[in-house]
Each structure stands twice: as structure tokens, then as C-alpha cells.
Amino acid sequence: MANTTQLIAVLDLDTREQAQSAIHAIGDCGWVKIGFQLFTRCGPPVVEDALSMGKQVFLDLKFHDIPNTVAKAARAGAELGASFMTVHAAGGRQMIAAAREAVEGTNARLLAVTVLTSLSDDELRDEIGLQETAAEVVPRWAGMAIDAGAHGIVCSPREIEAVRAAIGPEPAIVTPGVRPAWAGKDDQKRVMTPREAAMAGANFVVVGRPIFAHESPPHAVRMIQEELQG
Ligand code: C5P
């Protein structure tokens, strides 16, 4: 599995022009992640730009609503040409199943986000009201999401092993929180290197600032890809 791990470059930007420059700058990295910062400002044209520049698009809009609404949004993203889209596992089995049904017959694959890594166990217990810790909830929700029809899971590198045990070998695991040894951590707290994430079983690693803060983004991409290939 390690030698098939692919890099997804994060376009957390504000304008279509910035996104176009960033897409040029990532050289032969074949994937970009468009999240709701860029999508809320620029909308479908940024997805069309990425596709026309030969990239596959991870449209990371983290849908979480009633099943009918999420299904319609997922269909819209699939028709835009997204290859990956995200839904919150917390939306439940019916929501995930409806989204899966809505993307049938398209190239889009659905990823479920489990517990946000920004939430502490104290918050989960005292404010959200969960009886389990994140370490317990994450693999359980991951298993439920795959059972409901998700094609993969987004999780932190530290959770890869437990998630893989819960979902088996087939579904994709996509992980942010990845930092090459030569890069700063930014606001990421518990990171793994691309190589470590690949060895742990990630199929895709999501990297933003280390690429775009580097003096040569194409060189940063190549270094990360070499690390992923071992
Ligand atoms: O710049 P950086 O490599 O930290 O970007 C990571 C991306 O992954 C950002 O778009 C961030 O929102 C996202 N993400 C994350 N940690 C999570 C979930 C998503 O960093 N737990």
C-alpha cells in the first residue's frame, strides 16, 4: 500500500487567480483539495479550472444536513466533476447512504469525516455529550460510514491504524496533518511525515502550507512524492 500513496495539494486560498497560480505551481501533483474557503468565494469556476488543468478535485465541503439536502448537494458536486467529496459521519447512516446513492453512476467517491481533531475529549464529553473518547468514536463511526456506503475516511495520521482495522483493506484513507521533516508544523499539533503516513496505511496525504510556503513548490511536491514512494 505504501508505494501507492498519492499527494493531494491543498488550495486554501481566496481568489481564482491565486488558485490558478497554485495549480500551475504544483507541477505533476495530480490532485487538488478545494475547501469551503475557496469554494465559497469563487464557486464552481475554480473546480472547472482545476479540471481543465488536468487535476483531479477533492471537493472538501463536509456536507452535514438532512439526507435529501446532502444527496442533492453531493449530486451537484459529482456533476461538477469532483473525484472526492466529504460528508460528516455524524450526519448518520441515512444521510451517508443517500449521498452514496446520489453519486452512483458518476466518478465521485464519498469520504466521511469522523470527529474533528480540533475537539478535545473534554469537549466531546461535557459539551457534545458523547460517552466515548475520540479514540473510541473515530473507528466506530468510520466503520458505520463505510457500512452506509462511504468509499473512504478522512482521519488524522494518528488514527490511521485504528480506522484501517475498523474498515478493512479496501476503502480509501485520506489524511491531513502531514508534515515533511524539512517543513514547519504551522498550527498542526500531532503530525506524521509523508513516509510515516504511507507506512501507516494512508492512500492519500493532504498537504498545504509546506508546499506553498516552500521557495519552489514544484520541488516541494517532488520531495514529498519521493518520500511517499519510499
Ligand atoms: O496547510 P495544511 O497542510 O495544514 O492543510 C491541511 C488541510 O487539511 C487544511 O485544508 C485543513 O483544513 C485540513 N484538515 C486538517 N486537519 C483535520 C481536518 C482537515 O488539517 N483534522
Side-chain angles (χ1 to χ4, degrees):
M1 188 170 302
N3 60 4
T4 64
T5 308
Q6 293 186 64
L7 172 63
I8 302 177
V10 176
L11 305 182
D12 282 345
L13 299 165
D14 289 316
T15 70
R16 191 172 171 188
E17 292 69 31
Q18 288 171 352
Q20 288 167 340
S21 306
I23 297 166
H24 275 299
I26 58 172
D28 65 359
C29 172
W31 283 84
V32 294
K33 180 169 95 78
I34 295 172
F36 41 63
Q37 176 186 348
L38 182 59
F39 195 78
T40 303
R41 287 198 181 275
C42 304
V46 285
V47 175
E48 289 155 12
D49 286 347
L51 295 173
S52 71
M53 291 161 83
K55 306 303 182 191
Q56 296 202 72
V57 173
F58 172 7
L59 189 58
D60 186 18
L61 301 180
K62 297 188 176 70
F63 299 133
H64 188 175
D65 208 317
I66 58 171
N68 179 60
T69 303
V70 168
K72 298 249 168 71
R75 183 73 199 186
E79 288 179 2
L80 271 181
S83 295
F84 277 149
M85 275 183 293
T86 38
V87 296
H88 272 284
R93 180 179 294 276
Q94 287 180 42
M95 187 201 79
I96 297 166
R100 167 62 190 263
E101 199 185 325
V103 302
E104 281 303 319
T106 74
N107 291 325
R109 287 179 284 169
L110 281 184
L111 303 175
V113 175
T114 58
V115 179
L116 296 173
T117 51
S118 50
L119 288 168
S120 68
D121 282 335
D122 285 347
E123 280 179 283
L124 287 176
R125 185 189 58 241
D126 299 338
E127 291 169 4
I128 313 281
L130 283 182
Q131 306 301 314
E132 297 160 294
T133 63
E136 293 163 332
V137 177
V138 166
R140 191 166 66 74
W141 281 5
M144 176 277 292
I146 296 300
D147 199 47
H151 299 91
I153 300 294
V154 180
C155 65
S156 105
R158 306 287 164 151
E159 297 163 348
I160 292 172
E161 212 174 312
V163 167
R164 182 59 78 199
I167 65 177
E170 284 307 316
I173 292 183
V174 179
T175 186
V178 171
R179 285 291 179 272
W182 44 263
K185 285 191 184 173
D186 305 302
D187 55 358
Q188 298 283 7
K189 293 194 179 76
R190 292 176 301 126
V191 299
M192 277 191 188
T193 66
R195 183 81 201 132
E196 286 168 341
M199 295 300 292
N203 304 100
F204 293 84
V205 296
V206 172
V207 182
R209 287 162 290 182
I211 295 173
F212 296 109
H214 196 275
E215 58 181 7
S216 168
H219 185 55
V221 164
R222 274 197 303 279
M223 287 194 291
I224 295 170
Q225 286 174 331
E226 278 167 22
E227 225 188 281
L228 290 174
Q229 283 152 17

